[in-house]
Amino acid sequence: MEQLREGKAELLMKGSLHTDELMGAVVSREGGLRTGRRISHVFVMDVPTYHKVLIVTDGAINIAPTL
């Protein structure tokens, strides 16, 4: 994430870890990527049996966690 904060990278790609681990680091007050802007993410899936790339946005972001 340091490279993102320094402007040396343009995106963060999730590998083999749970979304809550990644997002916890992203929204961390110390060392995270917090700004005054809205946060979003996408899942990009290339399914061999489907003719298009699928993109699902905000699949794991809960905007009202107390509901």
Side-chain angles (χ1 to χ4, degrees):
M1 278 195 257
E2 184 176 332
Q3 290 179 336
L4 287 167
R5 281 193 304 275
E6 294 173 356
K8 295 178 181 176
E10 294 182 17
L11 61 92
L12 179 63
M13 185 170 164
K14 178 180 172 278
S16 180
L17 74 156
H18 291 274
T19 299
D20 62 329
E21 294 178 73
L22 175 69
M23 296 308 292
V26 167
V27 300
S28 169
R29 292 192 190 279
E30 296 89 31
L33 300 174
R34 295 176 80 112
T35 68
R37 299 176 65 188
R38 203 173 300 258
I39 191 168
S40 183
H41 79 281
V42 295
F43 296 112
V44 179
M45 298 174 281
D46 184 10
V47 181
T49 57
Y50 193 67
H51 66 286
K52 295 180 185 178
V53 172
L54 299 172
I55 300 174
V56 178
T57 185
D58 300 318
I61 300 229
N62 185 350
I63 61 168
T66 59
L67 287 178

